[in-house]
Amino acid sequence: MPALAEVIAALEQAYPPELAESWDAVGLVCGDPAENVDKVLFCVDPVDETVDEAIADGAQLIVAHHPLLLRGVHGVPADSTKGRLVHRMIRAGVALYCAHTNADSASPGVSDALADAIGLTVLGPLDPREDGVTGIGRIGELPAPEPFSVFVERVANALPRTEPGVYGAGDPARPIRRVAVSGGSGDSYLKRATAAGVDAYVTADLRHHPAGEHLAEIAEVPALVGVTHWASEWPWCEQASAVVRAAFAGNVDIHVSTRCTDPWTLRATRTEH
């Protein structure tokens, strides 16, 4: 069995911490680097449901995309929400490692996994760093053009089900071939997607005003496909698990959580009388 430090080294080779944004909090949250690891749970969110799953499965490590302690803290008392999780993990011998914006910018990274799930051939980053290879988001192409209505269905069928589902804004008949994607909240890259000349842009957490202003532009702009934050990043879990699987073939049991930790659990539409 590898030590936790060895598993972290494999993850950080794939997702270098130096790629993280300056405001981010990535790396080991709790756990002893010298302890051995024989089972790892991969998930998007380190929350009660995924900690429950890790403890029930006997995992010694949770690899999560979202940080547990993103904001500065002065303590982790057990009577606080996040402190309770830290105490539960420590008592159960479960370490927590988070790869966030470093996994977003890495190549391959979060948006590569999203693009692959949709069926795109990746051409490059949407917002590249100086090396031109890493960066936020990806631009890709479909094998052949298809109507926007069909493309929205493609996205819905590619990602795990959520109550809000998948929604589109654009002409249903518009041919879609070149596509930009950004896992997580991506409406700050709307202008990037327009400048890239893509036919559609897939991302999460699209806000009313930025989306409306984007669609009101006089010039032709990409059609929009909105998904939930969790669904857009969940494909990364399999990508990250493959990193550990390849590094320690046969010596580490890998499990990707399928528990939906999207916060939206109900959906209702107006009933017309």
Side-chain angles (χ1 to χ4, degrees), residues 95-226:
L96 172 63
Y97 180 86
C98 301
H100 191 211
T101 54
N102 52 325
D104 288 328
S105 283
S107 179
V110 171
S111 291
D112 292 279
L114 175 58
D116 184 63
I118 294 171
L120 302 174
T121 298
V122 172
L123 305 175
L126 173 62
D127 185 23
R129 297 169 69 96
E130 291 182 2
D131 60 12
V133 176
T134 60
I136 300 296
R138 292 294 181 267
I139 296 170
E141 282 189 347
L142 292 169
E146 61 190 32
F148 182 55
S149 59
V150 174
F151 179 71
V152 174
E153 291 291 335
R154 170 192 286 269
V155 175
N157 290 328
L159 299 180
R161 181 187 178 279
T162 60
E163 284 303 320
V166 174
Y167 46 93
D171 179 356
R174 178 178 179 175
I176 304 298
R177 177 75 186 274
R178 191 177 173 94
V179 178
V181 302
S182 182
S185 303
D187 62 17
S188 60
Y189 297 101
L190 286 167
K191 291 189 183 300
R192 283 275 183 182
T194 300
V198 299
D199 303 312
Y201 178 39
V202 182
T203 192
D205 302 339
L206 286 166
R207 293 170 295 167
H208 177 85
H209 291 295
E213 290 167 5
H214 165 82
L215 294 168
E217 291 286 343
I218 296 173
E220 186 174 59
V221 296
L224 300 179
V225 181

Side-chain angles (χ1 to χ4, degrees), residues 221-237:
V221 296
L224 300 179
V225 181
V227 301
T228 71
H229 197 115
W230 172 81
S232 75
E233 295 176 330
W234 183 81
W236 169 81
C237 295

Side-chain angles (χ1 to χ4, degrees), residues 14-107:
Y15 310 115
E18 57 267 25
L19 293 179
E21 299 295 322
S22 59
W23 49 264
D24 204 2
V26 302
L28 187 63
V29 177
C30 62
D32 184 347
E35 291 288 330
N36 289 336
V37 171
D38 68 4
K39 183 174 284 190
V40 184
L41 176 75
F42 290 81
C43 63
V44 175
D45 298 301
V47 292
D48 278 316
E49 294 88 342
T50 48
V51 170
D52 287 345
E53 187 173 7
I55 293 173
D57 287 350
Q60 295 86 34
L61 171 63
I62 297 172
V63 176
H65 179 49
H66 288 148
L68 177 64
L69 305 173
L70 182 58
R71 308 294 179 221
V73 296
H74 300 289
V76 285
D79 61 353
S80 67
T81 300
K82 295 187 176 184
R84 184 181 71 249
L85 283 179
V86 171
H87 281 264
R88 286 190 64 206
M89 287 185 287
I90 291 174
R91 288 169 180 156
V94 179
L96 172 63
Y97 180 86
C98 301
H100 191 211
T101 54
N102 52 325
D104 288 328
S105 283
S107 179

